[in-house]
Amino acid sequence: MTLAVDFLPPGRAVRQQISGDDWLKRAVMLVVGIYLVVALALPLFVMLSKSFSTYTFDLHQFEFQVSDQSGQGWSDPVTAAALNAAVAAFPESDLKASADGRLQAAKLFPDFSFRSPVRYRIRGTSDETHFLAGSQLVRGTEWQEYDSNNFRRVMLRPSRSIGLSNFAEYFSTPSLVRSIKNSVTMALISTAVTLVVAFGLAYALNRSRMPGKGLFKLIVTIPILVPSLLPGIALVYLFGNQGVFRDLLLGHSIYGPLGIVVGSVFFTLPHAFLIISTALWVADARHYEAATSLRASKWRTFWTVTVPGARYGLISAAFVVFTLVITDFGLPKVIGGQYGMLAVDIYKQVIGQQNFEMGAVVSVILLVPAFLAFAVDRLTQRRQVALLSARAVPYEPKPRRGFDAACFAFCTLVAVFVLGMIGMCQVAALVKFWPYDLSLSLRNYAFDLMDGGWDSYYNSIRLALMTAVIGSLIVFTGAYMVEKTKGFGLGRATFHMLAMLPMAVPGMVLGLAYIFFFNSAANPLHGIYGTMTILVLCTVTHFYTVAHLTALTALKQLDPEFEAVAGSLKIPFYKLFFRVTLPVCLPAVLEIAIYLFVNAMTTVSAVVFLYATDTKLASVAILNMDDAGDIAPAAAMGMMIFYTNVAAKLLHAFVSRLLLARTQGWRRVSQSAAATVPH
């Protein structure tokens, strides 16, 4: 006999009890989330507010009194505006200021002398009015009295207002507006060229039986190991005013759009190739068999089967390349000449003109195309469907002598392009005095004679090691908590949004945001400004998204039964984490570590605003050497970064094989067991 219950008695809804492990997971996720808020969200918010902040000197807010020669009797109060109208000490252009603007009050008094016995009084007309007396900040409406010697150190400070004045000024400056057009144009052209080359390369390696596929795949990933400054230096030696092949340009200059496009293709090619190659690798042979049975031509099969099957990879690669080019700083700084680009404008506004508010405006504008590209890419990926079913047949290309030879020739041309750029940098680093003395020497590696010296190289290694270790710990822990925590949907969604945000934030923008946020004396974390700590924080945050996605991919492969069994046995989750999850996911952790290491060695845009004298990095030293005209030593330092990253990759491969042999033995056992099961 079965008793059916069609309703429940009235009362409070039953809620699942949250275990202690889940509370602890939520607490750890909250800690990592706070890190992302402090290291990313708050700096970006401060930078955004700076872009809307306008600073002007309102001379009506300051009043003065002057004593007689005895220092006793006082004149009637008079505003700074009235004094300036009488003596014209400050023209209208001087009244527009930055956040750190200052006007010397003594200039309002033509007969001022610091040896005079005359005394001066100053006050604000509102509680917000402020000025500097030496290094002391003074606010309010109380009279402050100074003798002549101290009054000469009184500096008026500007007032802050909120509005669109900075954006209006930006869009009224033709040279700055032209940078938007230039950046978008270069990004579109570079994306188109890179996609064609990357697709051709990926198609040749996945759809032919040509020899040397492993070698070509290795060569095409070389640009990842060098900073984007290096292809610019290579192009100077190849096609510059004293370049080897300058006559091939038929009078055209490599400095400007041509150099930016060629260099952009070089450093974005690996990223596009890896994405498109993955898309082409996932192919079902049955589609091609169907096309053959229908007697479709090779050309028709290509456009109706191959390209549609790889469309999501092509779209994703396009947006990745577009974002990399439009946000890159190093290459246009070296080879761009007078061709304005948005990322370089940020550098010029901040370093060249100390106009931080206008730098923030350019940063906000640069965020727009980066965010749009990121948003469209994510939307496209959500619409992507699985291309392989359980009954799919892996595609195996058949030998075709003519086609294989053409693919080999094309891959050889790409390899010559990549190796030629790297080889030219190596030659430049070893030649004594280009192009007059071509004898080989190691003098360009004498970095102690250059700005930054060997210390900058050692600092880069320190940064890379700390970023790899600390970043891997933070990223994998955060990914584990957001993937394995039960419930708490809003918190997990917020965390994931914060983790995805860094991919859409250019390095220059993040670095400038760190200036505004961490350089403020009111920030309790102000002490890390100018230290290695802030460089590690910025680098980990800048490259957080890709590492986070790598960790999530590895964690999603784990069977949820692990947590269920551990819960039934009342084993704390942290024991499961260290005994099962971490060993199983060790390949992904090592991939995250080497990814962070290589990018920390090559990055320049994210750290160019944040280094101090004792924390200068190798990539920044390259930039400074190039600015000083020491191009050969800059090439030598770039090659040192390349050598280091190659050594790190080899060490990573060795350590991976050593550790994985001990921790991944279960994979071989399960594969062997699967092979023995009769089908």
Side-chain angles (χ1 to χ4, degrees), residues 503-622:
M503 183 175 281
V505 180
M508 293 289 291
V509 175
L510 186 62
L512 184 59
Y514 271 42
I515 293 180
F516 294 137
F517 184 67
F518 289 101
N519 198 30
S520 171
N523 190 333
L525 298 175
H526 172 71
I528 71 171
Y529 191 79
T531 67
M532 183 62 72
T533 302
I534 196 172
L535 296 179
V536 174
L537 187 71
C538 181
T539 308
V540 171
T541 305
H542 186 207
F543 300 107
Y544 193 98
T545 302
V546 173
H548 175 74
L549 292 175
T550 303
L552 280 182
T553 302
L555 289 166
K556 287 180 182 297
Q557 295 176 354
L558 292 178
D559 195 325
E561 290 297 322
F562 284 116
E563 280 73 25
V565 172
S568 65
L569 296 176
K570 297 184 178 180
I571 297 175
F573 84 92
Y574 53 85
K575 288 188 178 181
L576 177 69
F577 177 83
F578 287 109
R579 292 180 181 179
V580 177
T581 306
L582 188 58
V584 171
C585 296
L586 192 57
V589 175
L590 293 176
E591 285 297 326
I592 292 171
I594 192 64
Y595 168 80
L596 293 174
F597 182 94
V598 169
N599 281 282
M601 286 294 301
T602 59
T603 186
V604 58
S605 59
V607 297
V608 71
F609 296 141
L610 303 176
Y611 70 91
T613 305
D614 57 343
T615 59
K616 184 174 291 185
L617 303 174
S619 56
V620 176
I622 296 174

Side-chain angles (χ1 to χ4, degrees), residues 184-200 261 264-265 268-269 272 276 314 317-319 321-322 325:
V184 173
T185 301
M186 290 298 96
L188 290 175
I189 296 175
S190 300
T191 299
V193 176
T194 302
L195 285 183
V196 171
V197 176
F199 184 86
V261 170
S264 297
V265 172
T268 60
L269 181 61
I276 297 174
L314 287 168
F319 285 114
V321 173
F322 181 88
V325 175

Side-chain angles (χ1 to χ4, degrees), residues 312 375-385 496:
Y312 290 109
V376 175
D377 180 45
R378 300 305 301 174
L379 183 62
T380 303
Q381 290 186 18
R382 288 182 182 178
R383 297 180 60 185
Q384 184 174 1
V385 295
H496 188 67

Side-chain angles (χ1 to χ4, degrees), residues 29-44 474-475 478-479 494-502 510 514 537 540-542 544-545 548:
M29 183 168 56
L30 179 62
V31 170
V32 181
I34 291 174
Y35 156 79
L36 288 172
V37 169
V38 173
L40 181 65
L42 290 180
L44 289 178
I474 294 175
V475 170
T494 303
F495 183 96
H496 188 67
M497 181 192 68
L498 288 172
M500 298 302 294
L501 185 59
L510 186 62
Y514 271 42
L537 187 71
V540 171
T541 305
H542 186 207
Y544 193 98
T545 302
H548 175 74

Side-chain angles (χ1 to χ4, degrees), residues 300-342:
R300 184 175 179 84
T301 302
F302 175 80
W303 286 108
T304 58
V305 179
T306 304
V307 173
R311 64 185 182 276
Y312 290 109
L314 287 168
I315 293 172
S316 183
F319 285 114
V320 167
V321 173
F322 181 88
T323 304
L324 286 173
V325 175
I326 203 170
T327 60
D328 181 58
F329 161 72
L331 179 65
K333 180 67 174 64
V334 173
I335 201 71
Q338 300 301 314
Y339 194 77
M341 297 281 282
L342 283 171

Side-chain angles (χ1 to χ4, degrees), residues 324-551:
L324 286 173
V325 175
I326 203 170
T327 60
D328 181 58
F329 161 72
L331 179 65
K333 180 67 174 64
V334 173
I335 201 71
Q338 300 301 314
Y339 194 77
M341 297 281 282
L342 283 171
V344 179
D345 281 350
I346 297 175
Y347 183 80
K348 289 179 179 178
Q349 293 293 332
V350 174
I351 301 298
Q353 303 181 31
Q354 296 292 299
N355 191 343
F356 290 91
E357 285 72 32
M358 191 57 67
V361 170
V362 182
S363 297
V364 172
I365 293 172
L366 185 58
L367 276 174
V368 174
F371 264 115
L372 287 177
F374 173 75
V376 175
D377 180 45
R378 300 305 301 174
L379 183 62
T380 303
Q381 290 186 18
R382 288 182 182 178
R383 297 180 60 185
Q384 184 174 1
V385 295
L387 299 178
L388 284 180
S389 65
R391 294 176 293 178
V393 178
Y395 180 81
E396 288 290 340
K398 299 177 181 179
R400 288 181 289 170
R401 181 174 298 179
F403 177 73
D404 293 345
C407 290
F408 184 81
F410 179 77
C411 292
T412 300
L413 287 176
V414 176
V416 168
F417 168 66
V418 174
L419 293 177
M421 297 278 276
I422 294 294
M424 191 67 250
C425 285
Q426 182 60 82
V427 170
L430 292 175
V431 167
K432 187 174 290 185
F433 186 52
W434 181 276
Y436 307 105
D437 186 355
L438 300 182
S439 59
L440 301 182
S441 170
L442 295 176
R443 60 184 292 181
N444 293 322
Y445 288 89
F447 299 130
D448 287 334
L449 304 177
M450 305 293 170
D451 182 28
W454 280 102
D455 287 342
S456 62
Y457 172 70
Y458 299 137
N459 284 338
S460 285
I461 294 180
R462 283 177 55 209
L463 171 66
L465 288 173
M466 294 172 68
T467 299
V469 175
I470 298 173
S472 300
L473 176 64
I474 294 175
V475 170
F476 192 78
T477 301
Y480 178 83
M481 299 307 162
V482 77
E483 177 66 20
K484 299 300 181 180
T485 299
K486 297 178 182 177
F488 199 43
L490 179 60
R492 293 168 61 196
T494 303
F495 183 96
H496 188 67
M497 181 192 68
L498 288 172
M500 298 302 294
L501 185 59
M503 183 175 281
V505 180
M508 293 289 291
V509 175
L510 186 62
L512 184 59
Y514 271 42
I515 293 180
F516 294 137
F517 184 67
F518 289 101
N519 198 30
S520 171
N523 190 333
L525 298 175
H526 172 71
I528 71 171
Y529 191 79
T531 67
M532 183 62 72
T533 302
I534 196 172
L535 296 179
V536 174
L537 187 71
C538 181
T539 308
V540 171
T541 305
H542 186 207
F543 300 107
Y544 193 98
T545 302
V546 173
H548 175 74
L549 292 175
T550 303

